[in-house]
């Protein structure tokens, strides 16, 4: 097969170390592709898919390969199609409030480039220094700022997508309003490489907030911190981020970062505010007063960019702190209606007691998107995996029974495939299949994932 691909003028490799690199992402699945194609252009992608379509060869698209659900793992072998070398910003156009980009651009690099011109691309997955814009679009990635600014889908105005048979499709464009026909652009956002390959994206930009500041607070219990989340929002404040942390995670962070890394307390809250400086400075004492009234044990102000970044660094260190416990983190990015935050954490504590598996809960409280991490000894050991999977079954069942979703950020991929059908229901599952069949009748794009 490689010779055919080279004859088409494509860059391709079957070197063992290249195949190995493209057999995994950041989850636990592993399967080797037969060949890796490194696309340099939309035309390369089209030529690859035309060839694969004619020969009936499976194709799995890959961006940076830092997905958390096995989405980029080529479960049926065939071609691993990397678009990571398509990494140019094509047009940065503040006059239209857009940036046009190839899919392989690293999200953080794109944000830096637009903010140098005073513009803002807000979606902020924690992996933003590693992941690609194409991967973000294909998984509809999000992060802490999504409370105020929305997730990736709210910024995608237009796409160039290569369909399974090699057809090049353009959807939307640089218009902020466009009501011509079905919203085809949205169809591909979150489609996890199963409907087409994104080769160019036009993304909406907004003016960069002039100033940011932060309050951090500790509380004697998680319940009061969750009440603070509700009270802040109910009082008309719209923070750019509202992050909550449970006692287990705080303890791990203190053990790893030092006991005085956080003031005393069993729950921690981050409240970030942004906007014009005078507005932010006026708002800080109002939010602080709410925290005080609710009995916060400590309240700290962080009044500029550097101070805010220092807090985010601590927050990002939670992952390392949990790793330092010696356990493996099964990171479940579940979502519940915001009003059920406390019930979720109480359920997680109960599940932990029952199963004997420690569970750490922290994350985007404003969105109800709490990363619920089962901390297991080694997920690759069958007996441990079986027990962890049973606990996950219980967790997901509870989430679905409480109007939640099994994933709010990472996507379904392989990791959550088992629960997908139950999560969306029969009518939705059948609609997914109908769309998949209409666009990829041979089932060649990213096969054996959650649609089978
Ligand atoms: C430490 C860490 C922290 C993370 N934090 C977050 C977080 O806060 N929020 C969040 O949302 N996610 C997070 N993630 C998950 C991951 O970073 C995101 O899912 C990210 O969007 C994946 O981008 P990628 O370029 O690595 O995609 P890949 O892993 O390469 O691919 C992911 C999926 O998208 C498909 N795909 C990739 N590129 C294209 C394309 N051009 N066209 C069509 N399909 C394509 C693949 O087939 C696959 O199904 C985190 C991951 C890690 C390791």
């Amino acid at each position: 097969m490689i010779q055919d691909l080279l004859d088409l003028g494509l860059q391709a490799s079957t070197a063992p170390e290249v195949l190995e690199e493209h057999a995994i992402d950041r989850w636990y699945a592993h399967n080797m592709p037969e060949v890796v194609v490194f696309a340099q252009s939309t035309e390369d992608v089209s030529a690859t898919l035309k060839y694969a379509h004619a020969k009936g060869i499976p194709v799995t698209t890959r961006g940076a390969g830092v997905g958390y659900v096995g989405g980029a793992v080529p479960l049926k072998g065939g071609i691993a199609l990397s678009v990571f070398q398509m990494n140019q910003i094509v047009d940065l156009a503040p006059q239209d409030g857009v940036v046009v980009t190839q899919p392989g651009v690293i999200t953080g690099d794109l944000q830096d480039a637009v903010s140098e011109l005073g513009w803002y691309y807000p979606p902020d997955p924690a992996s933003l220094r590693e992941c690609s814009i194409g991967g973000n679009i294909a998984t509809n990635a999000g992060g802490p700022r999504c409370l105020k600014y929305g997730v990736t889908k709210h910024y995608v105005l237009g796409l160039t997508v290569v369909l399974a048979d090699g057809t090049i499709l353009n959807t939307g464009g640089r218009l902020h309003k466009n009501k011509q026909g079905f919203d085809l652009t949205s169809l591909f956002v979150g489609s996890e490489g199963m409907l087409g390959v994104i080769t160019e994206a036009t993304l909406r930009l907004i003016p960069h907030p002039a100033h940011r500041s932060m309050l951090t607070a500790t509380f004697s219990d998680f319940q009061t911190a969750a009440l603070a989340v509700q009270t802040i929002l109910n009082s008309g404040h719209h923070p750019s981020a509202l992050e909550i942390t449970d006692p287990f995670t705080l303890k791990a962070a203190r053990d790893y970062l030092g006991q005085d890394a956080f003031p005393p307390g069993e729950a921690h809250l981050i409240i970030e505010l942004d906007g014009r400086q005078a507005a932010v400075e006026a708002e800080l004492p109002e939010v602080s007063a709410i925290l005080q009234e609710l009995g916060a044990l400590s309240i700290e102000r962080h009044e500029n960019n550097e101070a805010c970044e220092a807090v985010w660094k601590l927050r990002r260190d939670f992952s390392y702190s949990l790793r330092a416990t010696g356990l493996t983190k099964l990171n479940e990015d579940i979502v519940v209606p915001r009003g059920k935050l406390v019930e979720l954490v109480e359920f997680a504590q109960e599940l932990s007691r029952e199963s004997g598996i420690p569970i750490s809960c922290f994350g985007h409280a404003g969105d109800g998107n709490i990363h619920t991490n089962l901390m297991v000894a080694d997920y690759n050991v069958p007996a441990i995996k079986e027990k962890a999977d049973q606990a996950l079954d219980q967790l997901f069942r509870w989430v679905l029974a409480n109007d939640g979703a099994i994933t709010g950020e990472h996507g379904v991929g392989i990791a959550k495939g088992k629960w997908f059908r139950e999560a969306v229901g029969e009518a939705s599952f059948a609609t997914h299949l109908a769309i998949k069949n209409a666009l990829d009748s041979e089932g060649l794009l990213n096969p054996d994932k959650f649609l089978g």
Side-chain angles (χ1 to χ4, degrees):
M1 179 188 348
I2 180 144
Q3 195 53 52
D4 290 344
L5 294 164
L6 295 172
D7 289 348
L8 288 169
L10 298 164
Q11 294 185 22
S13 173
T14 52
E17 66 278 11
V18 174
L19 297 182
E20 186 58 49
E21 225 177 276
H22 291 78
I24 52 170
D25 67 356
R26 296 291 174 89
W27 196 64
Y28 298 90
H30 175 284
N31 202 56
M32 297 283 251
E34 278 174 64
V35 59
V36 179
V37 171
F38 294 99
Q40 309 295 314
S41 64
T42 298
E43 289 68 34
D44 278 3
V45 172
S46 175
T48 308
L49 293 192
K50 269 186 194 149
Y51 171 80
H53 195 249
K55 303 268 182 190
I57 299 167
V59 178
T60 301
T61 309
R62 185 183 181 91
V66 297
Y68 253 161
V69 291
V73 175
L75 271 187
K76 275 202 156 171
I79 298 173
L81 174 57
S82 172
V83 292
F84 200 46
Q85 292 178 5
M86 294 176 66
N87 58 6
Q88 299 302 307
I89 294 178
V90 179
D91 187 17
L92 214 176
Q95 73 279 10
D96 292 337
V98 301
V99 58
V100 182
T101 179
Q102 290 189 317
V105 173
I106 298 290
T107 308
D109 293 348
L110 182 113
Q111 288 178 338
D112 292 347
V114 302
S115 70
E116 266 171 37
L117 298 184
W119 288 79
Y120 199 34
Y121 175 72
D124 58 341
S127 52
L128 62 86
R129 290 285 153 207
E130 296 179 276
C131 62
S132 74
I133 281 290
N136 288 179
I137 296 170
T139 58
N140 191 17
R145 280 180 207 143
C146 296
L147 171 65
K148 183 170 179 180
Y149 292 108
V151 294
T152 301
K153 74 175 174 188
H154 298 114
Y155 293 85
V156 186
L157 295 176
L159 293 175
T160 300
V161 181
V162 183
L163 301 179
D165 64 359
T167 303
I168 298 170
L169 166 73
N170 291 302
T171 72
R174 60 174 67 206
L175 304 175
H176 291 248
K177 286 181 177 168
N178 182 345
K179 187 48 213 72
Q180 300 184 135
F182 293 168
D183 186 358
L184 294 182
T185 305
S186 293
L187 189 58
F188 294 96
V189 179
S191 63
E192 299 195 29
M194 294 164 74
L195 300 182
V197 181
I198 297 155
T199 59
E200 192 171 282
T202 303
L203 303 173
R204 182 166 77 94
L205 301 179
I206 58 175
H208 205 292
H211 189 74
R212 65 198 280 220
S213 284
M214 202 182 252
L215 293 169
T216 50
T218 52
F219 292 88
S220 55
D221 54 68
F222 187 89
Q223 284 77 354
T224 316
L227 178 62
V229 169
Q230 295 289 1
T231 313
I232 289 166
L233 293 168
N234 283 332
S235 312
H237 299 284
H238 198 176
S240 51
L242 253 179
E243 299 278 306
I244 200 164
T245 305
D246 78 345
F248 181 93
T249 316
L250 263 185
K251 178 178 181 318
R254 288 192 180 108
D255 288 347
Y256 179 70
L257 298 164
Q259 291 306 315
D260 53 358
F262 302 92
E266 292 293 300
H268 184 258
L269 210 54
I270 297 174
I271 307 119
E272 182 169 315
L273 301 165
D274 67 3
R276 308 304 294 177
Q277 185 164 353
V280 173
E281 278 170 4
E283 205 172 353
L284 277 174
E286 291 179 27
V287 177
S288 188
I290 292 173
L291 299 172
Q292 213 156 7
E293 243 167 66
L294 288 169
L297 299 178
S298 70
I299 303 172
E300 291 177 338
R301 283 170 73 135
H302 314 267
E303 301 209 23
N304 56 38
N305 207 34
E306 289 67 43
C308 291
E309 279 307 315
V311 174
W312 284 120
K313 185 179 173 323
L314 278 183
R315 162 67 172 77
R316 281 192 286 269
D317 280 343
F318 286 175
S319 284
Y320 299 102
S321 311
L322 290 171
R323 203 177 296 162
T325 61
L327 299 168
T328 303
K329 178 168 73 123
L330 300 181
N331 183 344
E332 303 306 335
D333 58 323
I334 54 170
V335 195
V336 292
R338 193 165 59 222
K340 293 198 169 168
L341 270 189
V342 171
E343 285 161 72
L344 167 67
V345 171
E346 285 171 354
F347 173 78
Q349 286 167 348
E350 181 58 35
L351 181 61
S352 176
R353 271 191 295 274
E354 247 179 50
S355 65
I357 299 173
I359 299 181
S360 135
C361 295
F362 66 96
H364 321 313
D367 304 325
N369 178 203
I370 297 295
H371 292 266
T372 303
N373 306 289
L374 272 64
M375 305 296 297
V376 299
D378 185 349
Y379 194 60
N380 291 314
V381 173
I384 294 176
K385 182 174 186 310
E386 195 187 327
K387 196 168 155 201
D389 284 347
Q390 277 169 9
L392 286 177
D393 276 341
Q394 281 175 268
L395 173 67
F396 290 139
R397 231 167 262 134
W398 185 90
V399 166
L400 294 177
N402 283 276
D403 303 319
I406 59 175
T407 172
E409 292 190 333
H410 305 154
V412 181
I414 308 169
K416 299 193 173 73
K418 179 179 157 196
W419 297 282
F420 175 70
R421 192 166 180 161
E422 187 182 336
V424 297
E426 285 308 311
S428 173
F429 187 72
T431 307
H432 275 76
L433 282 183
I435 293 170
K436 172 73 172 164
N437 288 334
L439 290 179
D440 178 18
S441 55
E442 308 300 312
L444 296 176
L445 289 183
N446 210 355
D448 274 9
K449 297 288 159 54
F450 56 91
L451 294 181

